[in-house]
Amino acid sequence: MLLLNFSHPLPPEQIARLSELTGQPIDVRPLPAQFDHAQPFIPQAEALIAQIDLTPEEWQTAPLMVILPALNYIAAVVLAELHGRMGYFPPIVRLQPVEGALPPRYAVAEIINLQGVRDSARKKRIG
């Protein structure tokens, strides 16, 4: 499974945990999302996603999951760009702080099925 990591690097134990959760080997693609706040975010997101060497067919068929950028505005634009290319919302990885760890460390908390969330919410739409 290809993990598009728009956040901090992952230590080996987090990659192993993701492999355990998905039942697949994990290929991490680091994509640091450092945006210039003085410039529009949409072109920067497009340039960031353009670095990912996938064909249009691979965007729609390759097993992908994502660690979103921490800044909410960047995450929203990146997610919209990914959805446009993939045709669905990718699963995302949620990390959580390890309590009492010095220096601060994070652990894999869960994999969130965003498409499942979207599909479930659509059933609640009125009209």
Side-chain angles (χ1 to χ4, degrees):
M1 176 168 290
L2 180 58
L3 173 62
L4 305 177
N5 183 7
F6 297 100
S7 190
H8 300 286
L10 296 176
E13 62 269 13
Q14 289 179 358
I15 297 169
R17 177 68 177 138
L18 289 169
S19 182
E20 179 183 311
L21 288 172
T22 63
Q24 300 179 48
I26 303 297
D27 177 17
V28 180
R29 186 85 49 96
L31 297 153
Q34 299 296 320
F35 281 24
D36 180 348
H37 288 264
Q39 301 297 319
F41 276 10
I42 293 172
Q44 292 181 79
E46 291 170 342
L48 180 64
I49 302 302
Q51 296 176 40
I52 304 166
D53 188 27
L54 295 176
T55 66
E57 182 177 318
E58 289 170 324
W59 274 113
Q60 296 174 65
T61 60
L64 300 174
M65 70 180 163
V66 176
I67 297 178
L68 290 168
L71 185 63
N72 61 340
Y73 305 111
I74 298 172
V77 176
V78 164
L79 197 52
E81 181 73 23
L82 290 172
H83 186 285
R85 290 171 186 249
M86 298 171 72
Y88 62 92
F89 286 107
I92 61 170
V93 176
R94 181 176 71 88
L95 302 175
Q96 66 185 12
V98 174
E99 189 174 328
L102 290 174
R105 287 181 309 142
Y106 294 85
V108 173
E110 64 180 322
I111 299 172
I112 300 171
N113 178 354
L114 286 185
Q115 187 63 40
V117 172
R118 184 251 183 226
D119 293 344
S120 177
R122 186 167 171 100
K123 294 175 186 171
K124 299 170 188 168
R125 194 165 39 172
I126 298 173

